[in-house]
Amino acid sequence: MNQLIERRKVTARKEKPDSASLGFGKYFTDYMFVMDYEEERGWHDPRITPYEPVHLDPSASVFHYGQAVFEGLKAYRSEDGRVLMFRPDQNIKRLNKSLRRMSMPPLDEKLALEALIQLVELEQEWIPIEKGTSLYIRPFVIATEPSLGVRPSKRYKFMVVLTPVGSYYGDQLKPIRIYVEDEYVRAVTGGVGDVKTSGNYAASLQAQRKAEELGYDQVLWLDGVEKKYAEEVGSMNIFFIINGEAVTPALNGSILGGITRASVIELLKSWGIRVREEQVAIDDIYEAAMRGEVSEVFGTGTAAVISPVGALHIHGETIELNNGLIGEVSERLYETIAGIQVGKVRDSFRWVVEV
Ligand code: COI
């Protein structure tokens, strides 16, 4: 691979954390990637630098009007020592979709991919190898122009940081408890719910805190207009297995199009399981669950992978699902996707990229 990206060296390498204490996003590697944008010059100066604080003007528009987008993907170490990434091209496409929606300049997709690959290659010693661990890659773009006018910034920074991670919710396959949120809403069609902009997550925190105080792990958002239809969970998309078929909310413009979601749909179809992408009324889920027709519920996401749901709190009532155990489909999906990601299961969809 060509060394396209200029590199400044660190003086000392950090100590690597032990795998049991990883958690999610607590430790950062020695290097990061940075590239700048100015209206007159376009994107320029791609570089790998030591992981270090960023110098920004207090009037940088990201602090005031929130032009900020991000992505999340992972790199894995296979048993035979290869470094693998899962569908990175899809993350870069989605990053550009988010950038365009937030009036920010899109990136050259080839260069962005090369940046991820070169950074991961340089930092490959940080990829943990225990089951369920990986090196999480966080690309993001922020507006840096010092200006208080409400208009698109003329300057930006694209950065990529890396963090070795374990499972997002603690115990990967322990079913989580979900609170169906019927007070706050996340997004409406025509808004920014279908892109990965930072404000969506800031806006979710209050409901997330409420759910935690009530003893739940995550919030399931309903649509922002009628509060009737399931949309997505705080950090993942949602699937219901009803009478042997998979049902997931259709991408209606206010839901984030997850890359794990798309992969799960392809896998389920390849196994002969029918997948319905449609409007999913939460009252229909409640009634189906009461009739004993909902055998499994699970979330899908890069951070979460496949996360079984053991309880759903709907309109004041908690429905226990599958006796709080992981379901068959969820388990098979997890083993297959996680297996493909680490090169253990045949990658018949050609999702994996070797670094
Ligand atoms: C991811 O799954 O990568 C996400 O970005 C979700 C969350 C950690 C913000």
Side-chain angles (χ1 to χ4, degrees), residues 25-257:
K26 293 195 299 189
Y27 304 98
F28 297 92
T29 68
D30 296 301
Y31 287 96
M32 63 185 192
F33 173 84
V34 189
M35 180 161 70
D36 297 304
Y37 176 92
E38 281 158 33
E39 197 174 54
E40 321 73 56
R41 294 178 68 188
W43 284 109
H44 60 274
D45 275 349
R47 58 204 185 270
I48 289 174
T49 71
Y51 183 98
E52 61 195 3
V54 181
H55 185 80
L56 286 179
D57 195 289
S59 304
S61 44
V62 66
F63 295 135
H64 306 275
Y65 308 126
Q67 276 184 297
V69 303
F70 71 95
E71 267 305 321
L73 66 160
K74 288 172 171 172
Y76 312 83
R77 173 80 71 184
S78 69
E79 269 173 12
D80 58 3
R82 291 174 299 143
V83 174
L84 307 175
M85 283 157 83
F86 188 72
R87 312 189 77 178
D89 53 315
Q90 298 299 307
N91 290 89
I92 290 166
K93 278 206 168 72
R94 191 172 64 184
L95 183 59
N96 269 349
K97 174 179 171 173
S98 301
L99 285 167
R100 289 196 179 94
R101 176 63 183 86
M102 301 308 288
S103 304
M104 299 162 82
L107 293 152
D108 177 293
E109 293 186 8
K110 261 190 163 158
L111 176 63
L113 181 59
E114 190 62 21
L116 302 188
I117 289 175
Q118 287 196 21
L119 184 63
V120 168
E121 193 185 27
L122 176 68
E123 295 287 66
Q124 57 179 284
E125 279 172 30
W126 282 90
I127 305 175
I129 53 174
E130 284 70 19
K131 188 169 188 209
T133 64
S134 56
L135 186 65
Y136 185 80
I137 305 167
R138 172 52 62 87
F140 61 106
V141 183
I142 55 168
T144 56
E145 185 193 0
S147 165
L148 296 189
V150 180
R151 57 163 173 75
S153 171
K154 294 183 175 146
R155 291 189 211 161
Y156 298 89
K157 261 188 197 307
F158 169 44
M159 286 177 275
V160 185
V161 297
L162 306 176
T163 165
V165 296
S167 148
Y168 189 67
Y169 298 119
D171 184 354
Q172 175 67 49
L173 292 180
K174 180 168 169 268
I176 60 165
R177 297 170 65 77
I178 286 190
Y179 185 87
V180 179
E181 176 53 52
D182 52 10
E183 179 188 359
Y184 301 107
V185 298
R186 174 183 175 273
V188 290
T189 307
V192 294
D194 62 342
V195 297
K196 223 162 160 62
T197 185
S198 306
N200 285 342
Y201 295 81
S204 76
L205 298 176
Q206 190 148 343
Q208 174 65 24
R209 186 171 61 187
K210 178 175 101 181
E212 283 170 16
E213 281 169 3
L214 293 169
Y216 296 84
D217 301 294
Q218 287 273 303
V219 161
L220 170 62
W221 296 106
L222 299 177
D223 72 279
V225 178
E226 297 181 75
K227 295 189 193 162
K228 261 169 96 174
Y229 302 102
E231 297 233 311
E232 65 179 76
V233 177
S235 52
M236 49 191 194
N237 295 112
I238 186 110
F239 285 76
F240 305 90
I241 304 288
I242 306 177
N243 290 329
E245 293 184 352
V247 182
T248 191
L251 300 180
N252 59 358
S254 60
I255 296 173
L256 191 75

Side-chain angles (χ1 to χ4, degrees), residues 273-320:
I273 296 177
R274 183 162 175 233
V275 182
R276 287 170 15 216
E277 292 180 73
E278 60 191 30
Q279 207 175 40
V280 181
I282 200 66
D283 288 345
D284 292 348
I285 296 294
Y286 175 84
E287 281 158 26
M290 287 298 135
R291 292 192 299 269
E293 292 170 1
V294 181
S295 55
E296 293 177 48
V297 180
F298 58 87
T300 64
T302 297
V305 198
I306 304 294
S307 184
V309 176
L312 269 182
H313 181 279
I314 303 181
H315 305 323
E317 224 181 291
T318 301
I319 309 174
E320 303 292 334

